[in-house]
Amino acid sequence: MIRLEKAGAEDLETIIAIQRASFKAVYEKYQDEYDPYLEDRERIKWKLAERPNSYYYFVKKDEENIGFLRVQTNEELTEAWLGTAAILPPYQGKGYGSEGLRLLEEEFSTVRQWDLCTVLQDAGMVAFYEKNGYHQTHIEPEKEGMDMVYMKKLIEK
């Protein structure tokens, strides 16, 4: 059974370990200086414990942390930015990320617009988000061989 559990400041080391393991292959492929794999401890700590309207949720399988989702919301909780979706490599491609996103939408049931960006050339990630209801809005070049695609999901209630 998959469930979400809100993470707190005390979970910093676990968050860092999952983020590095989840993004290592993407970093090695694109060598992007902004890759989550390289994000420093202080910035992650700030997002986890100090940034307003910033939330981390562990994706748990039974009692094991198999990933996390980071979301940034507006004050009214009507819009959200999916900042990081990290699932540990052994659990990728098994539906856990999709279930995590579904549970996150339940957790933030007042959010009507979800936004994110990912690497356009990472066809697997683009397909993952499209499968989960996101559509591409625009593309911005990042560097040679790497573009960022911005995606949006609108929820009608």
Side-chain angles (χ1 to χ4, degrees):
M1 184 179 124
I2 300 300
R3 64 184 178 86
L4 296 183
E5 181 178 283
K6 193 170 183 187
E10 70 279 3
D11 298 310
L12 178 63
E13 297 306 319
T14 304
I15 293 285
I16 290 169
I18 292 171
Q19 184 160 314
R20 297 240 162 92
S22 299
F23 285 94
K24 186 173 194 267
V26 175
Y27 174 71
E28 288 174 348
K29 183 172 183 179
Y30 297 105
Q31 298 287 308
D32 179 45
E33 64 183 305
Y34 302 110
D35 193 283
Y37 178 75
L38 296 179
E39 191 170 23
D40 71 49
R41 171 181 306 298
E42 286 307 308
R43 182 146 176 87
I44 296 170
K45 181 179 174 185
W46 174 72
K47 289 178 184 176
L48 179 62
E50 299 162 30
R51 186 180 195 180
N53 306 314
S54 177
Y55 310 96
Y56 282 77
Y57 285 85
F58 285 117
V59 177
K60 299 189 75 94
K61 180 178 188 291
D62 303 317
E63 288 306 307
E64 185 179 356
N65 293 325
I66 63 166
F68 72 83
L69 301 169
R70 181 178 65 80
V71 62
Q72 178 77 36
T73 67
N74 64 355
E75 288 289 330
E76 302 77 25
L77 292 174
T78 56
E79 296 180 7
W81 176 266
L82 183 62
T84 312
I87 301 293
L88 290 169
Y91 298 96
Q92 292 174 4
K94 297 182 174 161
Y96 300 128
S98 294
E99 181 64 7
L101 289 179
R102 188 188 68 73
L103 292 169
L104 193 67
E105 288 173 12
E106 278 182 14
E107 183 74 23
F108 290 90
S109 60
T110 58
V111 170
R112 297 291 170 257
Q113 178 177 314
W114 291 85
D115 293 281
L116 61 85
C117 75
T118 192
V119 177
L120 178 66
Q121 287 79 3
D122 189 340
M125 283 308 299
V126 173
F128 166 76
Y129 289 120
E130 287 176 338
K131 179 181 84 173
N132 283 285
Y134 287 81
H135 64 273
Q136 298 182 26
T137 59
H138 66 284
I139 295 167
E140 292 182 6
E142 180 73 25
K143 64 182 206 168
E144 186 69 34
M146 180 182 164
D147 304 296
M148 301 307 293
V149 58
Y150 288 77
M151 303 180 81
K152 178 183 303 294
K153 180 177 183 176
L154 299 176
I155 297 179
E156 306 292 328
K157 292 283 174 165

